[in-house]
Amino acid sequence: MKSGKTGGHAVVAYLQAYGVDTVFGIPGVHTLDLYRGLAEFGIRHIGVRHEQGAGFMADGYARASGKPGVCCLITGPGLMNAATAIGQAYSDSMPMLVLASVNATDQLGKGRGRLHEITDQNAAIAPLTGFARTIRQAEELPQAMADAYTLFETGRPRPVVLEFPLDFLSAPIEMAPLKTQHSVRPVASAADLDRAASLIDGAERPILLLGGGTVDCATEARTFAEKTGCLVVTTTAGKGVIPDSHPASVGATLVKPATQTLLAEADVVIAVGTELSETDSWVDRLELPGKLIRIDLDRHTLTRDYPPSVGLLADAGPTLSALTERIKQMRDPDLERAAQVRAHNHGNPDPLGRKHMAVLDAIRTALPDEAMLFTDMTQIAYTGNHYFRCEVPRSWFHPNGFGTLGYAMPAAIGAKIACPMRRTAALAGDGGFLFTVQDLGTAVEQRLPIPIIVWNNDALGQIAGDMVARGIPEFGVRPRNPDFLALARAFGADAVRPQSLAGLSEAVQRALSAEGPTLIEVREDSSYL
Ligand SMILES: Cc1ncc(C[n+]2csc(CCOP(=O)(O)OP(=O)(O)O)c2C)c(N)n1
Ligand SMILES: [Mg+2]
């Protein structure tokens, strides 16, 4: 070994060259040489109890910081355990770099029953990624990393899986000088910007619709909205890009009929960084009879399902600014119409919705505007998706597209690790929480002051309701629950069951400055709700 370095070192050297300082994972015999590199380069390693947690943590890390979250996983079961979380990141356009080992080059595809073997690991994971690639020699590494970061930084971000055969990881190599590469995002042509601006100038009832692709351009979006007199709607992923307290905002209410009518009445809709998918509106197709201007970094998303009158393949922030400059006259927004829509959207909740709102209000009171709340697939989060008040982007997080149970707590852990100064909380149902309960171990170990609010109805409540609505008797929707407080304490976490809404706010506040995580159980049948 001339340089004393191996393939594993080269991989980690590249991580460092791209600014990675934290990796989520769990070591195994197949990743020893990667871990040798991680240890030598002093990269922070966050240990998990199950690889799905590593995936969700990397997702939370990315969602909070905008930087790719990185996982280090063993061949076969390690990577497959993280597949669900990789799918969630794919669905919600999160940058994630997954480094996995794979069997030795001369064993690939042979099905000989080698340890951790999948006959074609790359094929098993590829559909959940932007791309998945096998790196057989050191010379392939710079291009693979450059391709990954080009996707993360200039396209619609998706997870990237790089798999490294065991013989590559352990082989001695001559370390070549590291070559990193950063690309620029596409820019709209002046002619297309002019066409879009003239449609907007001619509009009488314009609407700005902001998706998850706009979380880093709150200022540009607001300036554009205020000059054009647009009323503003966001998707769940775009929550907070325009403050919910802004008088022209109707919030993240794409699921609400009054907002859908508002869009149907618009003569121009400017949809930015959104794929307008089923899970954004929960209707098969939004009615958008007016002119549609779309801005997106992804060529396919730009035209899919809702072909635009003008499609701008470009970065959201600079494009909104370029359009703002071209707009000829200031227009006043129809604030009365916005107020009407807001009143319709949040009036007359059903009894369960009322309980959700009371609990969400109590949580909101305890959180500063810039806190981050990670939510799971639970009914209270579905209410919160449109009801919870957000003033800044990257403050409400939900596993939108893939809809994965077990997301909230590990994603909150990853986010808190990415942004330790931002207060961070998780909200999960009793069913969803148990999917990834073991990640409490990581939260305790890392001493993360995260309130984990468990909304407990002792049921897979949404599914029970769906069954009843379809005339199916409840079946398989009342699993026996553990004692959540005892369970949390067994991991070394604090645990409380508040006795009032004020007590809930206090418990959340206390948990935000505790020495470690606190499980806060809120029962749907609490007498105070
Ligand atoms: C991984 C995964 N498995 C199954 C589902 C289907 N599913 C969606 S919501 C839900 C019920 C979750 O129960 P809980 O977390 O207690 O929330 P509640 O609906 O009771 O508020 C189920 C089983 C899913 N979304 N994800
Ligand atoms: Mg439940």
Side-chain angles (χ1 to χ4, degrees):
M1 201 184 297
K2 280 179 248 154
S3 63
K5 300 293 181 207
T6 62
H9 284 116
V11 176
V12 181
Y14 265 99
L15 287 186
Q16 207 172 44
Y18 277 92
V20 173
D21 55 15
T22 305
V23 166
F24 301 92
I26 182 164
V29 68
H30 273 197
T31 50
L32 292 176
D33 285 298
L34 273 172
Y35 274 76
R36 186 205 302 276
L38 291 174
E40 279 186 31
F41 282 83
I43 295 209
R44 184 178 183 191
H45 177 258
I46 306 293
V48 297
R49 278 57 180 165
H50 182 289
E51 288 86 351
Q52 186 178 165
F56 285 144
M57 287 177 204
D59 175 308
Y61 183 98
R63 260 179 235 235
S65 66
K67 293 196 303 184
V70 182
C71 304
C72 189
L73 308 172
I74 64 150
T75 317
L79 180 60
M80 290 302 112
N81 276 345
T84 302
I86 295 170
Q88 183 62 60
Y90 179 91
S91 203
D92 283 350
S93 311
M94 285 304 133
M96 184 190 288
L97 180 61
V98 180
L99 311 173
S101 52
V102 70
N103 298 87
T105 314
D106 64 348
Q107 301 296 326
L108 291 180
K110 294 193 175 149
R112 294 181 58 218
R114 303 294 294 224
L115 177 67
H116 302 324
E117 181 179 359
I118 307 181
T119 43
D120 191 345
Q121 176 171 287
N122 214 45
I125 202 70
L128 303 171
T129 68
F131 69 88
R133 194 177 298 171
T134 313
I135 308 299
R136 291 181 174 79
Q137 41 201 333
E139 296 74 50
E140 294 169 344
L141 198 51
Q143 193 61 52
M145 289 295 287
D147 289 348
Y149 274 79
T150 298
L151 178 65
F152 299 153
E153 293 172 352
T154 71
R156 179 178 180 180
R158 303 287 207 185
V160 168
V161 174
L162 302 181
E163 59 169 25
F164 303 99
L166 298 179
D167 49 321
F168 164 76
L169 287 175
S170 60
I173 58 154
E174 203 58 68
M175 290 280 283
L178 301 181
K179 276 188 272 172
T180 58
Q181 188 181 306
H182 295 275
S183 314
V184 291
R185 291 180 171 176
V187 178
S189 73
D192 284 346
L193 286 167
D194 287 342
R195 283 202 306 141
S198 83
L199 283 182
I200 299 164
D201 263 329
E204 280 172 18
R205 296 174 308 283
I207 303 279
L208 177 61
L209 174 53
L210 300 169
T214 64
V215 292
D216 289 323
C217 48
T219 307
E220 295 92 327
R222 186 176 180 153
T223 309
F224 173 86
E226 288 176 351
K227 183 159 182 196
T228 53
C230 280
L231 299 188
V232 189
V233 187
T234 78
T235 66
T236 301
K239 231 168 137 56
V241 174
I242 287 277
D244 279 337
S245 58
H246 194 289
S249 169
V250 301
T253 55
L254 212 47
V255 296
K256 292 286 185 179
T259 297
Q260 291 169 6
T261 304
L262 184 72
L263 281 164
E265 289 168 2
D267 51 359
V268 174
V269 173
I270 306 106
V272 193
T274 171
E275 61 179 334
L276 296 163
S277 68
E278 180 196 25
T279 55
D280 289 320
S281 63
W282 292 110
V283 292
D284 195 40
R285 221 186 145 68
L286 286 165
E287 217 187 306
L288 297 177
K291 299 277 186 213
L292 179 63
I293 297 166
R294 294 183 78 168
I295 304 173
D296 209 285
L297 272 177
D298 182 73
R299 177 177 307 286
H300 303 292
T301 309
L302 188 65
T303 51
R304 205 180 51 214
D305 291 331
Y306 298 88
S309 305
V310 181
L312 303 172
L313 182 72
D315 194 5
T319 309
L320 284 170
S321 295
L323 285 174
T324 306
E325 270 172 35
R326 283 169 160 79
I327 299 300
K328 298 215 172 62
Q329 67 200 55
M330 300 273 292
R331 205 183 299 99
D332 288 331
D334 187 349
L335 297 182
E336 228 168 277
R337 184 82 181 95
Q340 265 172 12
V341 173
R342 282 197 299 269
H344 267 285
N345 283 343
H346 299 307
N348 289 327
D350 60 20
L352 182 57
R354 217 177 279 280
K355 285 189 183 194
H356 294 158
M357 290 177 179
V359 171
L360 290 165
D361 285 343
I363 296 170
R364 184 66 182 83
T365 309
L367 297 176
D369 285 350
E370 51 293 309
M372 302 187 283
L373 179 56
F374 282 79
T375 64
D376 217 277
M377 292 298 285
T378 165
Q379 290 178 304
I380 193 168
Y382 311 150
T383 301
N385 279 343
H386 56 82
Y387 176 73
F388 196 83
R389 186 172 55 80
C390 288
E391 297 296 304
V392 297
R394 297 190 197 273
S395 59
W396 172 274
F397 303 87
H398 188 67
N400 290 299
F402 216 38
T404 312
L405 285 170
Y407 172 79
M409 181 175 67
I413 292 171
K416 184 70 183 169
I417 283 165
C419 304
M421 302 312 287
R422 286 182 72 187
R423 274 156 236 217
T424 308
L427 172 62
D430 49 308
F433 175 67
L434 289 175
F435 273 67
T436 47
V437 61
Q438 68 281 353
D439 292 325
L440 262 177
T442 300
V444 170
E445 196 166 73
Q446 299 291 331
R447 303 167 130 246
L448 303 177
I450 301 177
I452 300 147
I453 303 140
V454 176
W455 172 247
N456 186 4
N457 51 15
D458 281 328
L460 309 176
Q462 179 62 38
I463 312 306
D466 291 342
M467 285 180 171
V468 171
R470 288 240 191 142
I472 304 167
E474 278 194 11
F475 192 76
V477 288
R478 305 253 164 210
R480 187 188 180 284
N481 269 332
D483 174 341
F484 284 103
L485 302 189
L487 180 60
R489 287 179 189 133
F491 276 97
D494 252 345
V496 288
R497 187 187 299 128
Q499 297 304 319
S500 65
L501 286 168
L504 168 58
S505 298
E506 273 166 41
V508 172
Q509 246 159 4
R510 251 199 319 275
L512 289 169
S513 48
E515 295 286 298
T518 308
L519 185 143
I520 302 172
E521 186 186 8
V522 181
R523 291 194 55 87
E524 189 183 296
D525 60 6
S526 296
S527 58
Y528 61 84
L529 289 178

